[in-house]
Coordinates of all heavy atoms in Angstrom, one line a residue:
M149 N -7.7 4.2 -6.6 CA -8.1 3.2 -5.7 C -9.5 2.7 -6.0 O -10.4 3.5 -6.3 CB -8.2 3.8 -4.3 CG -8.3 2.8 -3.2 SD -8.3 3.6 -1.6 CE -9.9 4.3 -1.5
L150 N -9.7 1.4 -6.0 CA -11.0 0.8 -6.4 C -11.4 -0.1 -5.2 O -10.6 -0.6 -4.5 CB -10.8 0.0 -7.6 CG -10.4 0.7 -8.9 CD1 -10.1 -0.3 -10.0 CD2 -11.4 1.7 -9.3
A151 N -12.7 -0.3 -5.1 CA -13.2 -1.2 -4.0 C -14.3 -2.1 -4.6 O -15.0 -1.7 -5.5 CB -13.8 -0.4 -2.9
K152 N -14.3 -3.3 -4.2 CA -15.3 -4.3 -4.6 C -16.5 -4.2 -3.8 O -16.4 -4.1 -2.5 CB -14.6 -5.7 -4.5 CG -15.5 -6.8 -5.1 CD -14.8 -8.1 -5.0 CE -15.7 -9.2 -5.5 NZ -15.1 -10.5 -5.3
G153 N -17.7 -4.3 -4.4 CA -18.9 -4.3 -3.6 C -19.3 -2.9 -3.1 O -19.0 -1.9 -3.8
R154 N -19.8 -2.8 -2.0 CA -20.2 -1.5 -1.4 C -19.5 -1.4 0.0 O -20.1 -1.6 1.0 CB -21.7 -1.5 -1.1 CG -22.5 -1.5 -2.4 CD -24.0 -1.4 -2.2 NE -24.8 -1.4 -3.4 CZ -25.0 -0.3 -4.2 NH1 -24.5 0.9 -3.8 NH2 -25.7 -0.4 -5.3
P155 N -18.3 -1.0 -0.1 CA -17.5 -0.8 1.2 C -18.0 0.3 2.1 O -18.6 1.2 1.6 CB -16.1 -0.5 0.7 CG -16.3 0.1 -0.7 CD -17.5 -0.5 -1.3
V156 N -17.8 0.1 3.3 CA -18.2 1.1 4.3 C -17.3 2.4 4.0 O -16.1 2.3 3.9 CB -17.9 0.6 5.8 CG1 -18.2 1.7 6.8 CG2 -18.7 -0.7 6.0
M157 N -18.0 3.5 4.0 CA -17.3 4.8 3.7 C -16.5 5.1 5.0 O -16.9 4.8 6.1 CB -18.2 5.9 3.3 CG -18.9 5.6 2.0 SD -17.8 5.3 0.7 CE -17.2 6.9 0.4
P158 N -15.4 5.8 4.8 CA -14.5 6.2 6.0 C -15.3 7.0 7.0 O -16.1 7.9 6.7 CB -13.4 7.1 5.4 CG -13.4 6.7 3.9 CD -14.8 6.3 3.6
V159 N -15.2 6.6 8.3 CA -15.8 7.4 9.4 C -15.2 8.8 9.5 O -15.8 9.8 9.7 CB -15.6 6.6 10.7 CG1 -16.2 7.4 11.9 CG2 -16.3 5.2 10.6
K160 N -13.8 8.8 9.3 CA -13.1 10.1 9.4 C -12.5 10.2 8.0 O -11.3 9.7 7.8 CB -12.0 10.1 10.4 CG -12.5 10.0 11.8 CD -11.3 10.1 12.8 CE -11.7 9.8 14.2 NZ -10.5 9.7 15.1
P161 N -13.1 10.9 7.0 CA -12.5 11.1 5.7 C -11.2 11.7 5.8 O -11.0 12.7 6.6 CB -13.5 11.9 5.0 CG -14.8 11.7 5.7 CD -14.4 11.5 7.2
M162 N -10.3 11.3 4.9 CA -8.9 11.9 4.9 C -8.9 13.2 4.1 O -9.8 13.4 3.3 CB -7.9 10.9 4.2 CG -7.7 9.6 5.0 SD -6.6 8.5 4.1 CE -5.1 9.4 4.1
R163 N -8.0 14.0 4.4 CA -7.8 15.2 3.6 C -7.2 14.9 2.3 O -6.6 13.8 2.1 CB -6.9 16.2 4.4 CG -7.5 16.7 5.7 CD -6.5 17.5 6.5 NE -5.9 18.5 5.6 CZ -4.8 19.3 6.0 NH1 -4.3 19.1 7.2 NH2 -4.3 20.2 5.2
D164 N -7.5 15.7 1.3 CA -7.0 15.5 -0.1 C -5.5 15.5 -0.1 O -4.8 14.9 -1.0 CB -7.6 16.5 -1.0 CG -9.0 16.3 -1.3 OD1 -9.5 15.2 -1.0 OD2 -9.7 17.2 -1.8
V165 N -4.9 16.3 0.8 CA -3.4 16.5 0.8 C -2.9 15.9 2.1 O -3.3 16.2 3.2 CB -3.0 17.9 0.6 CG1 -1.5 18.1 0.7 CG2 -3.5 18.5 -0.7
Q166 N -1.9 15.0 2.0 CA -1.3 14.3 3.1 C 0.2 14.7 3.2 O 0.8 14.9 2.2 CB -1.5 12.8 3.0 CG -2.9 12.3 3.0 CD -3.6 12.6 4.3 OE1 -3.1 12.3 5.3 NE2 -4.9 13.1 4.2
S167 N 0.7 14.7 4.4 CA 2.1 14.9 4.6 C 2.9 13.7 4.0 O 2.3 12.6 3.9 CB 2.5 15.2 6.0 OG 2.1 14.0 6.8
W168 N 4.1 13.8 3.7 CA 4.9 12.8 3.1 C 6.3 12.8 3.6 O 6.9 13.8 3.7 CB 4.9 13.1 1.6 CG 5.6 12.1 0.7 CD1 6.9 12.0 0.4 CD2 4.9 11.1 0.0 NE1 7.1 11.0 -0.5 CE2 5.9 10.4 -0.7 CE3 3.6 10.6 -0.1 CZ2 5.6 9.3 -1.5 CZ3 3.3 9.5 -0.8 CH2 4.3 8.8 -1.5
Q169 N 6.7 11.6 4.0 CA 8.1 11.4 4.5 C 8.9 10.6 3.5 O 8.6 9.5 3.3 CB 8.0 10.7 5.9 CG 9.3 10.5 6.6 CD 9.2 9.7 7.9 OE1 8.2 9.1 8.1 NE2 10.2 9.8 8.7
Y170 N 9.8 11.3 2.8 CA 10.5 10.6 1.8 C 11.4 9.5 2.3 O 12.1 9.7 3.3 CB 11.4 11.7 1.1 CG 12.2 11.1 -0.1 CD1 11.6 10.5 -1.1 CD2 13.6 11.2 -0.1 CE1 12.3 10.0 -2.2 CE2 14.4 10.7 -1.2 CZ 13.7 10.1 -2.2 OH 14.4 9.6 -3.3
T171 N 11.3 8.3 1.7 CA 11.9 7.1 2.2 C 13.3 7.0 1.7 O 14.1 6.2 2.2 CB 11.1 5.9 1.7 OG1 11.2 5.9 0.3 CG2 9.7 5.9 2.2
G172 N 13.7 7.7 0.6 CA 15.0 7.5 0.0 C 14.9 6.4 -1.1 O 15.8 6.2 -1.8
N173 N 13.7 5.8 -1.2 CA 13.4 4.8 -2.3 C 14.5 3.8 -2.4 O 15.1 3.5 -3.4 CB 13.2 5.5 -3.7 CG 11.9 6.3 -3.7 OD1 11.2 6.4 -2.7 ND2 11.6 6.9 -4.8
L174 N 14.8 3.2 -1.3 CA 15.9 2.2 -1.2 C 15.5 0.9 -1.9 O 16.4 0.1 -2.3 CB 16.3 1.9 0.2 CG 16.8 3.1 1.0 CD1 17.0 2.8 2.5 CD2 18.0 3.7 0.4
Y175 N 14.2 0.6 -2.0 CA 13.7 -0.7 -2.5 C 13.2 -0.6 -3.9 O 13.1 -1.6 -4.6 CB 12.7 -1.3 -1.5 CG 13.3 -1.6 -0.2 CD1 13.1 -0.7 0.9 CD2 14.0 -2.8 0.0 CE1 13.7 -1.0 2.1 CE2 14.6 -3.1 1.2 CZ 14.4 -2.2 2.3 OH 15.0 -2.5 3.5
H176 N 12.6 0.6 -4.3 CA 12.0 0.7 -5.6 C 11.9 2.2 -5.9 O 11.7 3.0 -5.0 CB 10.6 0.0 -5.5 CG 9.9 -0.1 -6.8 ND1 9.2 0.9 -7.4 CD2 9.8 -1.2 -7.7 CE1 8.7 0.5 -8.5 NE2 9.1 -0.8 -8.7
P177 N 12.0 2.5 -7.2 CA 11.9 3.9 -7.6 C 10.6 4.7 -7.2 O 10.6 5.9 -7.0 CB 12.1 3.9 -9.1 CG 12.7 2.6 -9.4 CD 12.3 1.6 -8.3
T178 N 9.5 3.9 -7.1 CA 8.2 4.6 -6.7 C 7.7 4.2 -5.3 O 6.5 4.2 -5.0 CB 7.1 4.3 -7.8 OG1 6.9 2.9 -7.8 CG2 7.6 4.7 -9.2
Q179 N 8.6 3.7 -4.5 CA 8.3 3.3 -3.1 C 7.5 4.4 -2.4 O 7.9 5.6 -2.5 CB 9.6 3.0 -2.4 CG 9.5 2.5 -1.0 CD 10.8 2.3 -0.4 OE1 11.8 2.0 -1.1 NE2 11.0 2.4 0.9
K180 N 6.5 4.0 -1.6 CA 5.7 5.0 -0.8 C 6.0 4.7 0.7 O 6.3 3.6 1.1 CB 4.2 4.8 -1.0 CG 3.7 4.5 -2.4 CD 3.8 5.7 -3.3 CE 3.3 5.5 -4.7 NZ 3.9 4.4 -5.4
P181 N 6.0 5.8 1.5 CA 6.2 5.6 2.9 C 5.1 4.9 3.6 O 3.9 5.2 3.3 CB 6.4 7.0 3.4 CG 5.8 7.9 2.4 CD 5.8 7.2 1.1
I182 N 5.4 4.0 4.4 CA 4.3 3.2 5.2 C 3.5 4.2 6.0 O 2.3 4.0 6.1 CB 5.0 2.2 6.1 CG1 5.5 1.0 5.1 CG2 4.0 1.6 7.1 CD1 6.2 -0.1 5.8
S183 N 4.1 5.3 6.5 CA 3.3 6.3 7.2 C 2.3 7.0 6.4 O 1.3 7.5 7.0 CB 4.3 7.3 7.9 OG 5.0 7.9 6.8
S184 N 2.4 6.9 5.1 CA 1.3 7.5 4.2 C 0.3 6.4 3.8 O -0.8 6.7 3.6 CB 2.0 8.1 3.0 OG 2.8 9.2 3.3
L185 N 0.8 5.2 3.6 CA -0.1 4.1 3.2 C -1.0 3.7 4.3 O -2.2 3.4 4.0 CB 0.8 3.0 2.7 CG 1.6 3.2 1.4 CD1 2.6 2.1 1.2 CD2 0.7 3.3 0.2
Q186 N -0.5 3.6 5.5 CA -1.4 3.0 6.5 C -2.7 3.8 6.8 O -3.8 3.2 6.9 CB -0.6 2.8 7.9 CG 0.1 1.5 7.9 CD 0.6 1.2 9.3 OE1 1.6 1.9 9.8 NE2 0.0 0.3 10.0
P187 N -2.6 5.1 6.9 CA -3.9 5.9 7.1 C -4.9 5.6 5.9 O -6.1 5.6 6.2 CB -3.5 7.3 7.1 CG -2.0 7.3 7.5 CD -1.5 6.0 6.9
L188 N -4.4 5.5 4.7 CA -5.2 5.3 3.6 C -5.9 3.9 3.7 O -7.1 3.8 3.5 CB -4.4 5.4 2.3 CG -5.0 5.4 0.9 CD1 -5.9 6.6 0.8 CD2 -4.0 5.4 -0.2
I189 N -5.1 2.9 4.0 CA -5.6 1.5 4.1 C -6.6 1.5 5.2 O -7.7 0.9 5.1 CB -4.4 0.6 4.3 CG1 -3.6 0.5 3.0 CG2 -4.9 -0.8 4.8 CD1 -2.3 -0.2 3.2
E190 N -6.3 2.1 6.4 CA -7.1 2.0 7.5 C -8.4 2.8 7.4 O -9.4 2.5 8.0 CB -6.4 2.4 8.8 CG -5.3 1.4 9.1 CD -4.4 1.8 10.3 OE1 -4.6 2.8 10.9 OE2 -3.4 1.0 10.5
S191 N -8.4 3.8 6.5 CA -9.6 4.6 6.2 C -10.6 3.8 5.4 O -11.8 3.9 5.6 CB -9.3 5.9 5.5 OG -8.6 6.8 6.4
F192 N -10.1 3.1 4.4 CA -11.0 2.5 3.4 C -11.2 1.0 3.5 O -11.9 0.4 2.7 CB -10.4 2.9 2.0 CG -10.6 4.3 1.6 CD1 -9.6 5.2 1.8 CD2 -11.8 4.7 1.1 CE1 -9.8 6.6 1.5 CE2 -12.1 6.1 0.8 CZ -11.0 7.0 1.0
T193 N -10.5 0.4 4.5 CA -10.7 -1.0 4.7 C -11.0 -1.3 6.1 O -10.7 -0.5 7.0 CB -9.5 -1.9 4.2 OG1 -8.4 -1.6 5.0 CG2 -9.2 -1.6 2.7
Q194 N -11.5 -2.5 6.4 CA -11.7 -3.0 7.8 C -10.7 -4.1 8.1 O -10.1 -4.7 7.2 CB -13.1 -3.6 7.9 CG -14.2 -2.6 7.4 CD -14.2 -1.4 8.2 OE1 -14.2 -1.4 9.5 NE2 -14.3 -0.2 7.6
P195 N -10.4 -4.3 9.4 CA -9.5 -5.4 9.7 C -9.9 -6.7 9.1 O -11.1 -7.0 8.9 CB -9.6 -5.5 11.3 CG -10.0 -4.1 11.7 CD -10.9 -3.6 10.6
N196 N -8.9 -7.4 8.6 CA -9.1 -8.7 7.9 C -9.6 -8.6 6.5 O -9.8 -9.6 5.8 CB -10.0 -9.7 8.7 CG -9.3 -10.2 9.9 OD1 -8.1 -10.6 9.8 ND2 -10.0 -10.2 11.0
D197 N -9.8 -7.4 6.0 CA -10.1 -7.2 4.6 C -8.9 -7.6 3.7 O -7.8 -7.7 4.3 CB -10.5 -5.7 4.2 CG -11.9 -5.4 4.5 OD1 -12.7 -6.3 4.9 OD2 -12.3 -4.2 4.4
I198 N -9.1 -7.7 2.4 CA -8.0 -8.0 1.5 C -7.7 -6.8 0.7 O -8.5 -6.2 0.1 CB -8.3 -9.2 0.6 CG1 -8.7 -10.4 1.4 CG2 -7.1 -9.4 -0.4 CD1 -9.2 -11.6 0.5
V199 N -6.4 -6.4 0.7 CA -5.9 -5.2 -0.1 C -5.1 -5.8 -1.3 O -4.2 -6.6 -1.1 CB -5.0 -4.3 0.8 CG1 -4.4 -3.2 -0.1 CG2 -5.7 -3.7 1.9
L200 N -5.5 -5.4 -2.5 CA -4.9 -5.9 -3.7 C -4.1 -4.8 -4.3 O -4.6 -3.7 -4.5 CB -5.9 -6.4 -4.7 CG -5.4 -6.6 -6.1 CD1 -4.5 -7.8 -6.2 CD2 -6.6 -6.8 -7.1
D201 N -2.8 -5.0 -4.5 CA -1.9 -4.0 -5.2 C -1.4 -4.8 -6.5 O -0.5 -5.6 -6.4 CB -0.8 -3.5 -4.4 CG 0.0 -2.4 -5.1 OD1 -0.3 -2.2 -6.3 OD2 0.8 -1.7 -4.5
P202 N -2.1 -4.6 -7.6 CA -1.7 -5.4 -8.8 C -0.4 -4.9 -9.5 O 0.0 -5.6 -10.4 CB -2.9 -5.2 -9.7 CG -3.6 -4.0 -9.3 CD -3.3 -3.8 -7.9
F203 N 0.1 -3.8 -9.0 CA 1.4 -3.3 -9.5 C 2.2 -3.0 -8.3 O 2.5 -1.8 -7.9 CB 1.1 -2.0 -10.3 CG 0.2 -2.3 -11.5 CD1 -1.2 -2.0 -11.4 CD2 0.6 -2.9 -12.6 CE1 -2.0 -2.2 -12.4 CE2 -0.2 -3.2 -13.7 CZ -1.6 -2.9 -13.6
A204 N 2.6 -4.0 -7.6 CA 3.1 -3.9 -6.2 C 4.4 -3.1 -6.0 O 4.7 -2.7 -4.9 CB 3.2 -5.3 -5.5
G205 N 5.2 -3.0 -7.1 CA 6.5 -2.3 -7.0 C 7.3 -2.7 -5.8 O 7.8 -3.8 -5.7
S206 N 7.5 -1.8 -4.8 CA 8.3 -2.0 -3.6 C 7.7 -3.1 -2.7 O 8.3 -3.7 -1.9 CB 8.4 -0.8 -2.8 OG 7.2 -0.3 -2.4
G207 N 6.3 -3.3 -2.8 CA 5.6 -4.2 -1.9 C 5.2 -3.5 -0.7 O 4.7 -4.2 0.3
F208 N 5.4 -2.2 -0.6 CA 5.2 -1.6 0.7 C 3.7 -1.4 1.0 O 3.3 -1.3 2.1 CB 5.9 -0.2 0.8 CG 7.3 -0.4 1.3 CD1 8.1 -1.4 0.8 CD2 7.8 0.5 2.3 CE1 9.4 -1.5 1.3 CE2 9.1 0.3 2.8 CZ 9.9 -0.7 2.3
T209 N 2.8 -1.5 -0.1 CA 1.4 -1.5 0.2 C 1.1 -2.8 1.0 O 0.2 -2.8 1.9 CB 0.6 -1.5 -1.1 OG1 1.0 -0.3 -1.9 CG2 -0.9 -1.4 -0.9
C210 N 1.7 -3.9 0.6 CA 1.5 -5.2 1.3 C 2.0 -5.1 2.7 O 1.4 -5.6 3.6 CB 2.2 -6.3 0.5 SG 1.6 -6.4 -1.2
V211 N 3.2 -4.5 2.9 CA 3.7 -4.3 4.3 C 2.8 -3.5 5.1 O 2.5 -3.9 6.3 CB 5.1 -3.7 4.2 CG1 5.7 -3.4 5.6 CG2 6.1 -4.6 3.4
A212 N 2.3 -2.4 4.6 CA 1.4 -1.5 5.3 C 0.1 -2.2 5.6 O -0.4 -2.0 6.7 CB 1.2 -0.2 4.6
S213 N -0.4 -3.0 4.7 CA -1.6 -3.8 4.9 C -1.4 -4.8 6.1 O -2.3 -4.8 7.0 CB -2.0 -4.5 3.7 OG -2.2 -3.7 2.6
A214 N -0.3 -5.5 6.1 CA -0.1 -6.5 7.2 C 0.0 -5.8 8.5 O -0.5 -6.2 9.5 CB 1.2 -7.2 6.9
L215 N 0.7 -4.6 8.5 CA 0.9 -3.9 9.8 C -0.4 -3.3 10.3 O -0.6 -3.1 11.5 CB 1.9 -2.7 9.6 CG 3.4 -3.2 9.4 CD1 4.2 -1.9 9.0 CD2 3.9 -3.8 10.6
S216 N -1.4 -3.2 9.4 CA -2.7 -2.7 9.7 C -3.7 -3.8 10.0 O -4.9 -3.5 10.1 CB -3.2 -1.7 8.6 OG -2.4 -0.6 8.5
G217 N -3.3 -5.0 10.0 CA -4.1 -6.1 10.3 C -5.0 -6.5 9.1 O -6.1 -7.1 9.3
R218 N -4.6 -6.2 7.9 CA -5.3 -6.6 6.7 C -4.5 -7.7 5.9 O -3.3 -7.8 6.1 CB -5.4 -5.4 5.7 CG -6.6 -4.5 6.0 CD -6.5 -3.7 7.3 NE -7.5 -2.7 7.4 CZ -7.7 -2.0 8.5 NH1 -7.1 -2.4 9.6 NH2 -8.6 -1.1 8.6
H219 N -5.2 -8.5 5.2 CA -4.6 -9.4 4.3 C -4.2 -8.7 3.0 O -4.7 -7.6 2.8 CB -5.5 -10.6 4.0 CG -6.0 -11.3 5.2 ND1 -5.3 -12.2 5.9 CD2 -7.2 -11.2 5.9 CE1 -5.9 -12.7 6.9 NE2 -7.1 -12.1 6.9
Y220 N -3.3 -9.3 2.2 CA -2.9 -8.6 1.0 C -2.6 -9.5 -0.1 O -2.3 -10.7 0.2 CB -1.7 -7.7 1.3 CG -0.5 -8.4 1.8 CD1 0.4 -9.0 0.8 CD2 -0.2 -8.5 3.1 CE1 1.5 -9.7 1.3 CE2 0.9 -9.2 3.5 CZ 1.7 -9.8 2.6 OH 2.8 -10.5 3.0
I221 N -2.7 -9.0 -1.3 CA -2.3 -9.7 -2.5 C -1.5 -8.7 -3.3 O -2.0 -7.6 -3.6 CB -3.4 -10.2 -3.4 CG1 -4.3 -11.2 -2.6 CG2 -2.9 -10.9 -4.7 CD1 -5.6 -11.6 -3.3
G222 N -0.2 -9.0 -3.5 CA 0.6 -8.1 -4.3 C 1.1 -8.9 -5.6 O 1.5 -10.0 -5.5
I223 N 1.0 -8.2 -6.7 CA 1.4 -8.8 -8.0 C 2.5 -7.9 -8.5 O 2.4 -6.7 -8.6 CB 0.2 -8.8 -9.0 CG1 -0.9 -9.6 -8.5 CG2 0.7 -9.3 -10.4 CD1 -2.2 -9.5 -9.3
K224 N 3.6 -8.6 -8.9 CA 4.8 -7.9 -9.3 C 5.4 -8.5 -10.5 O 5.5 -9.8 -10.6 CB 5.8 -7.9 -8.2 CG 7.1 -7.1 -8.5 CD 6.9 -5.7 -8.8 CE 8.0 -5.1 -9.6 NZ 7.6 -3.9 -10.3
L225 N 5.6 -7.7 -11.6 CA 6.1 -8.2 -12.8 C 7.6 -8.7 -12.8 O 7.9 -9.7 -13.3 CB 6.0 -7.1 -13.9 CG 6.3 -7.5 -15.3 CD1 5.3 -8.6 -15.9 CD2 6.2 -6.2 -16.2
L226 N 8.4 -7.9 -12.1 CA 9.9 -8.1 -12.2 C 10.3 -8.9 -10.9 O 10.2 -8.5 -9.8 CB 10.6 -6.8 -12.2 CG 10.3 -5.9 -13.4 CD1 10.9 -4.5 -13.3 CD2 10.6 -6.6 -14.7
A227 N 10.9 -10.1 -11.2 CA 11.3 -11.0 -10.2 C 12.3 -10.4 -9.2 O 12.3 -10.7 -8.0 CB 11.9 -12.3 -10.8
E228 N 13.1 -9.5 -9.7 CA 14.2 -8.9 -8.9 C 13.6 -8.1 -7.7 O 14.2 -8.0 -6.7 CB 15.1 -8.0 -9.7 CG 14.3 -6.7 -10.2 CD 15.1 -6.0 -11.3 OE1 15.0 -6.5 -12.5 OE2 15.6 -4.9 -11.0
Y229 N 12.4 -7.7 -7.9 CA 11.7 -6.9 -6.8 C 11.0 -7.8 -5.8 O 11.1 -7.7 -4.6 CB 10.8 -5.9 -7.3 CG 11.5 -4.7 -7.9 CD1 11.5 -4.5 -9.3 CD2 12.2 -3.8 -7.1 CE1 12.2 -3.4 -9.8 CE2 12.9 -2.8 -7.6 CZ 12.9 -2.6 -9.0 OH 13.7 -1.5 -9.5
H230 N 10.2 -8.8 -6.3 CA 9.5 -9.6 -5.3 C 10.4 -10.6 -4.6 O 10.0 -11.2 -3.6 CB 8.2 -10.3 -5.9 CG 8.4 -11.3 -7.0 ND1 9.0 -12.5 -6.8 CD2 8.1 -11.2 -8.3 CE1 9.0 -13.1 -8.0 NE2 8.5 -12.4 -8.9
A231 N 11.7 -10.8 -5.1 CA 12.6 -11.6 -4.4 C 13.3 -10.9 -3.2 O 13.9 -11.5 -2.4 CB 13.7 -12.1 -5.4
R232 N 13.1 -9.5 -3.2 CA 13.8 -8.7 -2.2 C 13.2 -8.9 -0.8 O 12.0 -9.1 -0.7 CB 13.8 -7.3 -2.5 CG 14.8 -6.9 -3.6 CD 14.8 -5.4 -3.8 NE 15.8 -5.2 -4.9 CZ 16.1 -4.0 -5.3 NH1 15.6 -2.9 -4.7 NH2 16.9 -3.8 -6.3
R233 N 14.0 -8.7 0.2 CA 13.5 -8.8 1.6 C 13.7 -7.4 2.2 O 14.8 -6.8 2.1 CB 14.3 -9.8 2.4 CG 14.1 -11.2 2.0 CD 12.8 -11.8 2.4 NE 12.6 -13.1 2.0 CZ 12.0 -13.5 0.8 NH1 11.6 -12.6 0.0 NH2 11.8 -14.7 0.5
V234 N 12.7 -6.9 2.9 CA 12.8 -5.6 3.5 C 13.5 -5.8 4.9 O 13.1 -6.7 5.7 CB 11.4 -5.0 3.8 CG1 11.4 -3.7 4.6 CG2 10.6 -4.8 2.4
A235 N 14.5 -5.0 5.1 CA 15.3 -5.1 6.3 C 14.5 -4.6 7.5 O 13.7 -3.7 7.4 CB 16.6 -4.4 6.2
Ligands
LIG202 C1 4.0 2.9 -10.0 S1 4.9 1.4 -9.7 C2 4.2 0.6 -8.3 C3 4.1 1.4 -7.1 C4 3.8 0.5 -5.9 N1 2.4 0.5 -5.6 C5 4.6 1.0 -4.7 O1 4.1 1.7 -3.9 O2 5.8 0.7 -4.7 C6 4.2 0.3 -10.9 C7 4.8 -1.1 -10.9 O3 4.0 -2.0 -11.7 C8 4.9 -2.9 -12.3 N2 4.2 -3.5 -13.4 C9 4.1 -3.0 -14.7 N3 3.3 -3.9 -15.5 C10 3.0 -4.9 -14.7 C11 2.2 -6.1 -14.9 N4 1.7 -6.4 -16.0 N5 2.0 -6.9 -13.8 C12 2.5 -6.6 -12.6 N6 3.3 -5.5 -12.3 C13 3.5 -4.7 -13.4 C14 6.2 -2.1 -12.6 O4 7.3 -3.0 -12.7 C15 6.3 -1.2 -11.4 O5 7.1 -1.7 -10.4

């Protein structure tokens, strides 16, 4: 994870090990659960910040960002993935 400028450090730092709810990877082989992404995004960004995932894969970083009130930019190499719609 990288940040531009001098971002505000998390008020409540996260633990190094987080629980993980396996999604079944229905959309992408390396899909992450939104329940794991949102605490990370909300710890290290502020509302309306921009989250960039230059290797967006499933796009779930973008989904979690939107659900957390952040803007997002996702870059995806393979058209078959960025054309998919999350149900
Ligand atoms: C580890 S996965 C991404 C995981 C993603 N953050 C997620 O949670 O689903 C890496 C992704 O980067 C994509 N990728 C590889 N090279 C790329 C490139 N040059 N530009 C954009 N995406 C690329 C691969 O297709 C793969 O889907």
Side-chain angles (χ1 to χ4, degrees):
M149 190 178 75
L150 301 171
K152 184 178 177 186
R154 295 183 180 276
V156 178
M157 296 305 287
V159 176
K160 292 184 192 170
M162 295 176 64
R163 296 173 49 192
D164 290 342
V165 178
Q166 299 292 316
S167 60
W168 184 271
Q169 185 181 16
Y170 182 56
T171 61
N173 291 2
L174 299 176
Y175 295 96
H176 190 275
T178 64
Q179 180 181 332
K180 317 290 182 303
I182 287 178
S183 58
S184 296
L185 292 167
Q186 271 192 291
L188 191 63
I189 290 165
E190 292 175 5
S191 289
F192 287 96
T193 65
Q194 306 300 311
N196 290 315
D197 277 356
I198 302 172
V199 175
L200 167 67
D201 187 349
F203 304 98
S206 64
F208 274 45
T209 304
C210 301
V211 173
S213 299
L215 291 172
S216 296
R218 275 65 169 169
H219 302 282
Y220 60 83
I221 300 170
I223 300 170
K224 181 61 201 157
L225 185 63
L226 301 174
E228 67 195 76
Y229 286 108
H230 64 68
R232 286 188 181 181
R233 296 283 179 268
V234 176

